[in-house]
Amino acid sequence: MREFYGVRGRAHHVTVNPFARGSAGASRLEFSTFDREVGVEVNLEIRGGIVTQMCELILVETETGKTHHFPLAETTTADQLRTTIERSAVRKPYEARLSCYPHERAWVEKLLRQHSPGITFSESRQMSHVIEEPSVKFQLGERYFRGIAKIGFHYFLTQSPIYSGSEQFFSPIRSFIYQETKGPVRRVNQFVQMRHHPLLLPMLNSNARPDGWRAHVLAAETRPGRCLAHVQMFLTEENPGLIYTVNLAQDPVICDQTAHAHLYRYFSEGKQGRFSGEATPLPPVRVAMEFSPTTPAVTSS
């Protein structure tokens, strides 16, 4: 979603192409389509909001037909490519196929000659560059959900000044956020659940969609015995966005009832100065009926 909408991180952060390299403990995004011209799946990426075929080397095992994809960039070295291929344990014999655009051909051929001296290139089987029914594979590991929990916890604390975050009943959520484990991902279920009831009141109509705008929605509430946060990322006209509820604390000492919500809406014309958008407070509306024991009642108008 960040790549599709052109959302950029902080200037001092190293830019990572998520379609070529994984980050935050996850594998790269596998965004692919079947290319009829060459009879194999090819990888795609998003550049400037446009879906395009990725520059890559594709090795097809002769006996099994299994394909191995190796994204290529101008910064890729022959040694890096050699190491990556060795780690993938491609079974010989195999056929090599190249996916690239004409303007990329010069540096790609130079890289492959450094990797395999004497290699020749055929012009007989060019990729069609036709994108039909693409699919995407991605991982949502524990680190992703710990990030969602961190967003919700920090927002809750900014809206609830009576809590510092150091209270004993916040100890479990603090440990979940800061302590990475190698244990089962099911630990996530103790703290993060899916919410099916909309955060924005107009979205009670299942056909309602943002009219071209895109935003994140954050909400926080306390009720007797519980502190909760709700996180909805990238609510857009095309994407309804998943809503996560973060269970921040459970303790009988919690007795106040409060609710807060904000809409962070991206500027339609792009970044303005140092900012990509602005946050607007939303008046919370209490919903009378409970949909399930795990569905919080707060809704933002």
Side-chain angles (χ1 to χ4, degrees):
M1 298 300 292
R2 288 171 62 90
E3 292 295 320
F4 183 72
Y5 291 114
V7 176
R8 295 290 170 256
R10 295 184 176 91
H12 64 276
H13 284 184
V14 177
T15 301
V16 174
N17 181 353
F19 302 98
R21 199 194 87 186
S23 60
S27 301
R28 68 180 181 87
L29 299 178
E30 296 182 38
F31 192 25
S32 62
T33 188
F34 188 81
D35 192 310
R36 298 174 184 270
E37 197 67 28
V38 290
V40 295
E41 280 199 341
V42 295
N43 280 325
L44 309 170
E45 63 181 335
I46 298 175
R47 297 181 186 177
I50 299 174
V51 178
T52 182
Q53 207 159 297
M54 179 180 285
C55 181
E56 63 177 345
L57 176 66
I58 305 172
L59 301 183
V60 185
E61 295 181 3
T62 304
E63 293 183 1
T64 66
K66 183 178 180 180
T67 58
H68 301 265
H69 298 263
F70 304 96
L72 304 177
E74 288 192 72
T75 56
T76 305
T77 67
D79 286 339
Q80 288 174 336
L81 180 58
R82 187 175 296 107
T83 300
T84 304
I85 292 176
E86 289 174 353
R87 287 176 177 172
S88 298
V90 183
R91 294 179 59 183
K92 296 180 180 180
Y94 56 76
E95 180 184 348
R97 301 180 187 178
L98 181 61
S99 172
C100 69
Y101 286 94
H103 68 275
E104 300 169 319
R105 191 84 180 189
W107 65 261
V108 169
E109 290 188 5
K110 179 181 178 181
L111 168 64
L112 295 181
R113 285 195 179 98
Q114 292 173 345
H115 174 269
S116 303
I119 189 173
T120 58
F121 300 92
S122 171
E123 300 293 339
S124 60
R125 304 187 75 184
Q126 296 293 311
M127 299 293 176
S128 67
H129 298 292
V130 174
I131 298 172
E132 297 180 1
E133 300 182 355
S135 62
V136 62
K137 298 177 184 178
F138 54 89
Q139 289 179 312
L140 294 182
E142 183 183 275
R143 190 177 295 188
Y144 174 85
F145 291 103
R146 286 166 54 221
I148 292 292
K150 183 178 180 180
I151 292 171
F153 190 32
H154 283 201
Y155 176 75
F156 176 88
L157 294 177
T158 65
Q159 301 302 305
S160 305
I162 65 171
Y163 299 111
S164 68
S166 61
E167 289 82 1
Q168 181 60 33
F169 47 70
F170 287 129
S171 179
I173 192 66
R174 291 199 306 267
S175 297
F176 173 67
I177 291 172
Y178 291 118
Q179 295 178 5
E180 186 165 8
T181 69
K182 300 297 182 181
V185 179
R186 61 174 175 266
R187 180 174 83 123
V188 170
N189 296 331
Q190 302 173 30
F191 301 97
V192 182
Q193 285 91 38
M194 293 289 299
R195 174 185 165 115
H196 302 288
H197 187 56
L199 286 172
L200 296 180
L201 206 57
M203 301 301 156
L204 289 173
N205 177 357
S206 60
N207 295 320
R209 287 287 188 274
D211 184 18
W213 53 267
R214 52 187 186 270
H216 308 307
V217 187
L218 296 176
E221 64 172 317
T222 56
R223 58 172 69 182
R226 299 184 73 184
C227 294
L228 302 161
H230 314 286
V231 179
Q232 184 175 19
M233 308 296 290
F234 283 109
L235 171 62
T236 72
E237 187 173 2
E238 303 86 2
N239 177 52
L242 299 176
I243 307 173
Y244 297 105
T245 291
V246 184
N247 295 309
L248 300 174
Q250 296 187 53
D251 196 287
V253 73
I254 303 169
C255 57
D256 53 321
Q257 297 192 58
T258 61
H260 308 274
H262 279 77
L263 182 81
Y264 181 85
R265 183 169 173 173
Y266 286 96
F267 296 130
S268 59
E269 298 180 356
K271 203 169 184 178
Q272 297 182 14
R274 295 187 299 112
F275 303 102
S276 299
E278 61 181 345
T280 304
L282 300 171
V285 176
R286 284 284 176 178
V287 179
M289 68 179 294
E290 291 282 352
F291 286 80
S292 75
T294 59
T295 303
V298 66
T299 296
S300 305
S301 66

